[in-house]
Amino acid sequence: MHTPTKESPSAFMRAVPDGTQDGIDLTNGAELPNKLSLMFGRWLDQPQFDGDGAPMDLTGLDDDEDLGALRQLHELSLTRYRDITRVLAQVRDDPDPSLNKDARLKLAAKVIQPKLDEIGETAARELARTEAAIEAEMDAVAAEVRRAPPDELAVHPDVRAHFKALDERERGKQLDQAIATGDRVTLQALTAGPAYLGGLTAAQHERARYALARLVSPDRVRRVEALRAGQKVARGAVHRLQKQAAKFIDFNRARELLAHDARRQAQLSEG
């Protein structure tokens, strides 16, 4: 990260974008793609930096509008980051001798702030929309996991009593077996009531619920997983954009300067 000197054309910036730290070097305009990927994340179908690093299988979700909106939001964050660094370079390189550092700061902030406001509004809208989609899918999954014929419902208490009577090790072993074999009746019985009825821990109960959901409604669960992962990537990218912009520009100072200019203009108009 370069520290601008007081009298340099870069003095209006808190810090000058540096390739090593910021993914884009304002000195020569060079981009470091790997650094930008680390900063803004990769989309779900690309190798990831966390977990096991594997990309997510998005088969069947290519035309999902909600997931597509999150991808666009992720891409827009990086596009706006490039826009912001170009604005900084343009303001720095403006040859107007009347532009001191405060004037350059105001000029940069007036262009950059609306870009941040716009993407912030877009993010709030799209994240809320996808959250509603997730809730709708989860409601549908919940209805499906509860659906069972009467003869199966009749044995649920017996299944829970059987599990509760087992010792801890055997209970865990039989739960693992039910999950591995896709034993829907057992999983429905264990998840139809509170965890303690089957002698399960909260973690085991949640495992059983998740396994049952994937068993009876795999497509909906895959979509929910993709939307949640997409939200995380998109939200993180927008947050990183805002953080980087604040690293380069003191928006509070710019607002104070612009407010002072507005008050002075008002006084001149009154006079």
Side-chain angles (χ1 to χ4, degrees), residues 255-270:
R255 281 191 286 270
E256 291 173 358
L257 292 170
L258 290 168
H260 178 268
D261 289 349
R263 288 194 297 272
R264 184 172 60 181
Q265 184 62 43
Q267 291 171 351
L268 291 174
S269 298
E270 292 173 358

Side-chain angles (χ1 to χ4, degrees), residues 64-81:
D64 191 292
E65 292 184 3
D66 295 314
L67 192 59
L70 292 173
R71 180 169 191 164
Q72 291 175 2
L73 182 58
H74 172 249
E75 294 172 348
L76 181 61
S77 298
L78 186 53
T79 298
R80 289 292 173 264
Y81 185 54

Side-chain angles (χ1 to χ4, degrees), residues 84-213:
I84 286 171
T85 58
R86 279 194 289 268
V87 170
L88 295 176
Q90 290 168 357
V91 173
R92 176 200 62 190
D93 297 337
D94 192 320
D96 187 342
S98 68
L99 292 175
N100 59 21
K101 68 175 184 178
D102 283 350
R104 291 180 194 273
L105 173 61
K106 290 185 290 184
L107 182 58
K110 286 174 69 174
V111 176
I112 293 172
Q113 187 64 66
K115 296 179 183 294
L116 296 177
D117 292 342
E118 179 184 18
I119 196 170
E121 293 170 0
T122 300
R125 182 176 65 252
E126 297 303 337
L127 289 170
R129 189 180 86 170
T130 52
E131 190 61 34
I134 289 172
E135 290 178 2
E137 292 285 23
M138 292 304 295
D139 287 344
V141 170
E144 291 185 30
V145 299
R146 289 193 299 267
R147 189 176 298 121
D151 58 327
E152 292 182 2
L153 290 172
V155 303
H156 283 185
D158 294 335
V159 173
R160 290 192 291 267
H162 166 73
F163 266 77
K164 190 169 186 178
L166 298 172
D167 62 52
E168 183 177 341
R169 181 176 181 180
E170 184 62 23
R171 187 183 303 118
K173 181 179 178 181
Q174 291 197 22
L175 175 62
D176 290 342
Q177 184 178 6
I179 292 173
T181 60
D183 186 343
R184 179 180 54 80
V185 175
T186 295
L187 293 174
Q188 280 187 316
L190 293 173
T191 58
Y196 71 85
L197 289 180
L200 302 183
T201 65
Q204 288 174 325
H205 196 252
E206 184 58 33
R207 279 186 63 218
R209 290 181 59 189
Y210 179 69
L212 178 60

Side-chain angles (χ1 to χ4, degrees), residues 56-61 64 67 133-134 136-138 140-141 144 210-227:
M56 179 174 280
D57 181 7
L58 300 179
T59 304
L61 295 171
D64 191 292
L67 192 59
I134 289 172
E137 292 285 23
M138 292 304 295
V141 170
E144 291 185 30
Y210 179 69
L212 178 60
R214 287 185 66 87
L215 182 64
V216 302
S217 192
D219 291 339
R220 290 188 187 279
V221 172
R222 284 186 65 250
R223 182 170 187 248
V224 168
E225 290 173 344
L227 287 174

